[in-house]
Amino acid sequence: MDAAEFRRRGKEMVDYVADYLENIEKRPVYPDVEPGYLHSLIPTEAPLEPESYEDVIKDVERVIMPGITHWHSPYFFAYFPAASSYPAMLADMLCGALGCIGFSWAASPACTELETVMLDWLGKMLQLPECFIAGTHGSGGGVIQGTASEATLVSLLAARCKVIRRVQATNSSYSESDVFGKLVAYTSEQAHSSVERAALIGGVMMKQVPTDDSYAVRVDMLKKMIEKDKAAGLIPFYFCATLGTTPSCAFDHVVELGPLCNEENIWMHIDAAYAGSAFICPEFRPLLNGVEFADSFNFNPHKWLLVNFDCSAMWVKKRTDIIGAFKMEPLYLKHENQESGLITDYRHWQIPLGRRFRSLKLWFVFRLYGLQGMQAHIRKHVALAKEFESLVRADKRFEICAEVIMGLVCFRLKGSNELNQNLLKQITDSREIHLVPCQLSGRFVLRFAVCARTTESSHIQQAWRHITQLTFELLQEPSH
């Protein structure tokens, strides 16, 4: 493919993508395929000779589309949003074309510097404390990770490194393994599984903190666990708070948890993967109060801020804490400007070495939507969730299972877990809308998350009509 054909095919692909997104709601949101469906549709080996572009693009519909769950359908209400917008797609196209691997400032100065500035822009939208803003001489700063899972792991590893050095500085007889075996971390019993996975990878013990009636961690329970572990000779070193839990969008009380962590020399990381985007709206910003006590904070613009995956924004209060855990300086990566106070090499802030020019997506979206446009997007989704909540509350067969604060509604049919499992199976098998469940207080609960950028009130109303029709049919069955 030469430049002339690329121009032609590129325009065709833009048309294909635009047509796909404009007509996406006509497609079944959930695929009707069995595991292994794709193997019989393509050869067992790669072609020896080049094939035509026409044949490849035909196979997108024949091979790929039958197995796609359409995350950007307005009838997709599962998990949390996977953000998408045309400006972000165009930025990703440019990122792919530039093809720089921005592991250091020298590897592409613009890649490093735009990321620093975009994370400052975003931090100011969130009204983060000044200590998290890099500016030109700040001690903290932001970095784009691939996912919130990576951000949690990076923060835990940085905290682990910091506490080992601190303990060894005051107890010279302690070896690294002596300290390592005593470390204990904490998180909510409602936290995402990736937090527990970070502890597995980091090789440290992690304990789950019980939550209150609103599924949030309070300070008294964490304090009790810390005191018990210290009395047993353990070293508490890390707490991952969640703002907007995956099951129910609950908010840990970081205003009271933060001071405790500071007093105990415990690294507090805040995971706001989904909810963090909403903090750009003044009415939701109070939910972030207490961030001033955190050592690190993370959320995913690629969930709810119109930026396509992958783009997970992470801030640290002291960048020396994170750089100190990961810094390695082989000769082939050194450059003459690396000690400059004005720039950073992001390879020291992450697990991989290589990194894409992801800040282009933020730059395009921030400029083409503006803060007001992004706020309007968040508020629209919250309003649609409230609309769905009102429909559920009006039907006495159903109950709301958690406070609706943002774009997630947790609900269920009054009755057994089996009844709700059967309802969800019918919803999934219908392929008209897509939901996933969670468990709250031992109950099987359906999660309805407003996800697609194009979701409107009409889609909420149609989804509810579909749910109630399936409910009617289910309750007519003899076993119910």
Side-chain angles (χ1 to χ4, degrees):
M1 183 181 289
D2 58 17
E5 185 181 2
F6 176 72
R7 291 177 190 274
R8 187 169 82 256
R9 300 305 188 188
K11 291 170 185 174
E12 290 173 3
M13 181 57 77
V14 168
D15 284 341
Y16 179 83
V17 170
D19 288 343
Y20 164 72
L21 292 172
E22 283 190 328
N23 297 288
I24 192 170
E25 65 183 86
K26 297 177 183 177
R27 298 177 184 259
V29 65
Y30 193 70
D32 185 18
V33 296
E34 296 295 327
Y37 89 95
L38 189 142
H39 294 278
S40 64
L41 299 178
I42 59 176
T44 56
E45 296 180 0
L48 186 62
E49 299 292 332
E51 298 182 4
S52 71
Y53 180 82
E54 287 82 2
D55 286 343
V56 174
I57 205 69
K58 283 178 185 174
D59 280 351
V60 171
E61 284 294 336
R62 183 182 71 87
V63 178
I64 303 302
M65 285 301 177
I68 291 292
T69 299
H70 298 284
W71 280 66
H72 300 292
S73 167
Y75 294 115
F76 182 94
F77 303 107
Y79 312 109
F80 277 134
S84 175
S85 68
Y86 295 118
M89 291 179 219
L90 292 174
D92 247 355
M93 185 186 297
L94 178 58
C95 172
L98 293 174
C100 58
I101 311 298
F103 48 75
S104 71
W105 180 87
S108 267
C111 184
T112 292
E113 296 197 16
L114 186 66
E115 183 162 334
T116 302
V117 175
M118 288 304 99
L119 269 293
D120 276 1
W121 278 17
L122 186 52
K124 291 173 183 176
M125 291 182 208
L126 297 166
Q127 300 177 46
L128 289 182
E130 280 293 319
C131 55
F132 289 102
I133 306 300
T136 54
H137 301 290
S139 61
V143 59
I144 298 175
Q145 306 284 0
T147 64
S149 304
E150 290 175 42
T152 301
L153 176 59
V154 165
S155 67
L156 182 138
L157 295 178
R160 188 187 73 181
C161 179
K162 186 176 182 179
V163 71
I164 288 173
R165 290 174 179 171
R166 187 181 73 237
V167 172
Q168 286 184 312
T170 55
N171 299 275
S172 57
S173 62
Y174 275 44
S175 68
E176 185 170 317
S177 60
D178 290 335
V179 182
F180 204 90
K182 296 177 180 292
L183 296 180
V184 58
Y186 308 90
T187 193
S188 165
E189 63 182 2
Q190 295 290 316
H192 194 272
S193 60
S194 61
V195 181
E196 185 177 0
R197 195 161 179 256
L200 288 173
I201 296 171
V204 298
M205 182 193 325
M206 178 167 280
K207 297 187 176 183
Q208 294 187 334
V209 185
T211 57
D212 63 14
D213 292 341
S214 62
Y215 307 108
V217 172
R218 304 299 300 246
V219 70
D220 53 348
M221 185 56 71
L222 178 60
K223 185 174 184 178
K224 187 183 302 182
M225 293 178 70
I226 290 171
E227 289 174 349
K228 182 178 179 181
D229 288 338
K230 287 170 65 178
L234 298 177
I235 304 173
F237 81 105
Y238 179 86
F239 171 62
C240 181
T242 306
L243 296 181
T245 59
T246 299
S248 65
C249 200
F251 292 80
D252 291 340
H253 295 268
V254 294
V255 171
E256 58 187 48
L257 292 161
L260 173 65
C261 290
N262 290 176
E263 290 166 14
E264 298 288 347
N265 259 326
I266 292 173
W267 182 300
M268 185 169 79
H269 174 69
I270 296 178
D271 172 13
Y274 163 66
S277 296
F279 301 152
I280 66 170
C281 299
E283 64 270 32
F284 295 118
R285 177 55 180 80
L287 292 167
L288 186 56
N289 289 349
V291 69
E292 63 271 17
F293 301 112
D295 295 275
S296 53
F297 167 69
N298 164 251
F299 85 97
N300 291 340
H302 68 231
K303 274 191 168 65
W304 207 8
L305 209 57
L306 299 161
V307 177
N308 293 56
F309 187 87
D310 58 337
C311 184
S312 186
M314 178 186 186
W315 289 265
V316 290
K317 186 176 286 182
K318 295 180 181 177
R319 57 176 174 264
T320 52
D321 288 342
I322 196 168
I323 292 171
F326 299 105
K327 188 171 185 177
M328 299 190 75
E329 292 285 17
L331 182 60
Y332 50 81
L333 294 178
K334 289 184 177 182
H335 58 91
E336 62 183 6
N337 293 299
Q338 66 184 35
E339 301 304 326
S340 168
L342 297 178
I343 61 100
T344 189
D345 284 349
Y346 277 122
R347 70 180 186 273
H348 303 312
W349 296 53
Q350 61 177 23
I351 303 298
L353 173 64
R355 55 205 333 275
R356 300 189 307 119
F357 200 165
R358 291 174 292 204
S359 57
L360 283 171
K361 293 184 286 192
L362 294 174
W363 196 42
F364 274 46
V365 169
F366 292 169
R367 295 182 67 185
L368 292 172
Y369 274 90
L371 177 57
Q372 291 181 344
M374 293 184 287
Q375 289 172 334
H377 171 68
I378 297 293
R379 288 167 177 151
K380 174 186 172 185
H381 274 201
V382 174
L384 291 172
K386 291 291 187 180
E387 179 179 349
F388 185 80
E389 178 192 15
S390 68
L391 293 170
V392 175
R393 290 191 183 279
D395 191 321
K396 299 305 180 185
R397 297 172 297 177
F398 290 88
E399 59 184 333
I400 295 292
C401 303
E403 183 183 1
V404 179
I405 299 174
M406 293 190 175
L408 175 68
V409 182
C410 293
F411 73 107
R412 70 193 303 272
L413 264 174
K414 294 175 181 175
S416 67
N417 284 344
E418 182 184 7
L419 179 64
N420 284 277
Q421 290 166 354
N422 290 338
L423 175 58
L424 181 61
K425 186 178 188 307
Q426 292 201 13
I427 290 171
T428 302
D429 290 347
S430 74
R431 299 188 298 128
E432 290 192 27
I433 63 174
H434 190 40
L435 280 67
V436 295
C438 70
Q439 189 174 61
L440 295 174
S441 303
R443 298 185 301 171
F444 187 91
V445 173
L446 280 64
R447 296 172 72 263
F448 186 97
V450 181
C451 290
R453 174 176 51 83
T454 55
T455 305
E456 302 289 348
S457 175
S458 59
H459 303 111
I460 301 298
Q461 296 289 333
Q462 176 57 31
W464 181 243
R465 284 194 293 270
H466 184 62
I467 291 169
T468 54
Q469 177 60 37
L470 292 178
T471 299
F472 175 79
E473 295 170 4
L474 179 63
L475 295 179
Q476 296 305 303
E477 295 178 5
S479 59
H480 301 295

